[in-house]
Amino acid sequence: MIVNIYTIFMVSLGCLFFIAGTLGLLRFPDVFCRLHALTKSDNLGLGLITLGLLPQVDSVSMAIKILLIWALLLLTSATSCHLVARHERRRQLSEQAEGLHNNPHSEGGNEP
Amino acid sequence: MFSFISTLLLAGFWFLLAEGDLASLLVGIVFIPLSVFVSVKLSEKANTARSGARLQFIKIPKFVGFFLYQSIKGGKDTALRAFSLNMQLQPEFVHYPIKHIPAGLPMNLFMNVVSLLPGSVGVIREPNSVLVHVLAVTDQTLNEIYACELIVSELFGLDVSAPKRNSITKKAT
């Protein structure tokens, strides 16, 4: 009974953090801010759900499996966050460089 | 030797995830060798960048404690911002000069852990610094990134008493 209440509490709290992550994804202004919401809130949500589910397993191998899934997801989330952020930053820089490159043309007027 | 250990480990992972089901080997026969190949290729690359950093197993509990504490703090901070009406965002890029960590595994770990600190995401690695995106710049944010660097250095047994290369942290564009 107490174990079930603990599971319900932890999983609900985890879901709340997932909702916060999704809300951040929708509300935050740019790619980088959205990554903040996705990496941090979702990682914590996943951790809480994992901790909530652990007392419900019936074998040690299942518990190790759940912990392994948590670890793998942490790793993929951190790596993909870094990749998306790096790609976006490079895109911004190349856009800025293009803007600088095109500016002299726009100042000099259109085709002669 | 490395490929033998990683084959054993990855095959073990596979059976753990597939709960020992032999029929799963129909798929595993393709993916286990593929992941061994990727891990060997990536480790070759990491070996060239290695600079005497070795994992200190005794420091792992301290690192896990720091990691969990920062995860909770970071998750709570972002969730509160997402739910609040006024999100109080002042997003900015910050150049954080690396003081102790060499390239390779320690640097990769540092970049990933920085993304878990409240309000900061590691964006791109530069020769002597990392570009970090922060939701709102405070002195505390920079101190936390430094604390993170210290913890990762400790985990790899790096010398942190070396003079700081450059302690100025400046804003990017």
Side-chain angles (χ1 to χ4, degrees):
Chain A
M1 178 66 184
I2 292 174
V3 172
N4 284 347
I5 291 174
Y6 165 79
T7 299
I8 291 170
F9 176 74
M10 292 298 265
V11 173
S12 310
L13 202 62
C15 289
L16 203 66
F17 278 101
F18 268 104
I19 293 171
T22 313
L23 202 63
L25 182 69
L26 296 171
R27 287 188 72 199
F28 285 177
D30 60 24
V31 175
F32 297 106
C33 295
R34 287 173 178 165
L35 282 175
H36 283 268
L38 278 185
T39 49
K40 292 180 194 82
S41 296
D42 285 10
N43 280 349
L44 184 55
L46 181 71
L48 290 171
I49 289 177
T50 308
L51 290 179
L53 289 180
L54 275 184
Q56 303 287 339
V57 297
D58 42 15
S59 67
V60 178
S61 74
M62 184 57 99
I64 296 174
K65 186 175 165 182
I66 290 182
L67 287 174
L68 194 67
I69 291 173
W70 182 19
L72 288 175
L73 272 173
L74 274 183
L75 208 64
T76 47
S77 129
T79 310
S80 50
C81 161
H82 174 53
L83 288 178
V84 172
R86 194 173 67 176
H87 179 268
E88 174 65 11
R89 180 66 184 162
R90 283 184 179 156
R91 197 188 60 79
Q92 275 183 355
L93 289 179
S94 69
E95 245 175 37
Q96 274 175 17
E98 258 175 41
L100 282 178
H101 185 71
N102 289 338
N103 252 352
H105 281 286
S106 59
E107 273 172 18
N110 289 329
E111 301 284 323
Chain B
M1 186 63 192
F2 179 84
S3 53
F4 177 69
I5 293 174
S6 71
T7 309
L8 277 186
L9 262 179
L10 290 168
F13 268 178
W14 181 272
F15 278 108
L16 202 63
L17 289 174
E19 290 171 22
D21 187 1
L22 281 180
S24 73
L25 273 184
L26 278 177
V27 184
I29 205 83
V30 178
F31 285 97
I32 296 172
L34 208 65
S35 37
V36 172
F37 175 73
V38 171
S39 82
V40 169
K41 276 280 157 207
L42 288 178
S43 79
E44 274 171 15
K45 209 174 164 188
N47 276 342
T48 58
R50 182 172 289 172
S51 51
R54 278 191 173 272
L55 194 65
Q56 311 274 307
F57 288 96
I58 200 162
K59 298 286 181 190
I60 290 179
K62 190 180 173 189
F63 175 76
V64 170
F66 175 83
F67 182 83
L68 290 180
Y69 175 67
Q70 293 298 343
S71 300
I72 293 170
K73 224 170 128 185
K76 198 190 83 186
D77 175 74
T78 328
L80 285 178
R81 281 179 205 274
F83 280 126
S84 75
L85 284 178
N86 168 19
M87 293 181 283
Q88 294 173 329
L89 297 180
Q90 290 170 308
E92 261 173 37
F93 288 105
V94 166
H95 278 293
Y96 175 78
I98 294 290
K99 294 165 189 90
H100 312 295
I101 296 181
L105 186 62
M107 181 58 109
N108 292 343
L109 186 68
F110 173 69
M111 287 296 279
N112 284 345
V113 178
V114 161
S115 298
L116 271 177
L117 294 177
S120 61
V121 160
V123 178
I124 203 164
R125 204 180 305 162
E126 289 154 353
N128 290 323
S129 64
V130 285
L131 188 67
V132 178
H133 183 263
V134 288
L135 282 180
V137 189
T138 60
D139 289 342
Q140 217 188 349
T141 313
L142 300 174
N143 287 339
E144 275 171 355
I145 301 177
Y146 184 58
C148 169
E149 191 183 351
L150 283 184
I151 284 277
V152 175
S153 308
E154 235 179 272
L155 185 69
F156 285 95
L158 299 166
D159 182 19
V160 292
S161 60
K164 295 174 183 179
R165 263 205 292 269
N166 176 13
S167 60
I168 304 161
T169 306
K170 57 178 188 279
K171 262 168 43 176
T173 47

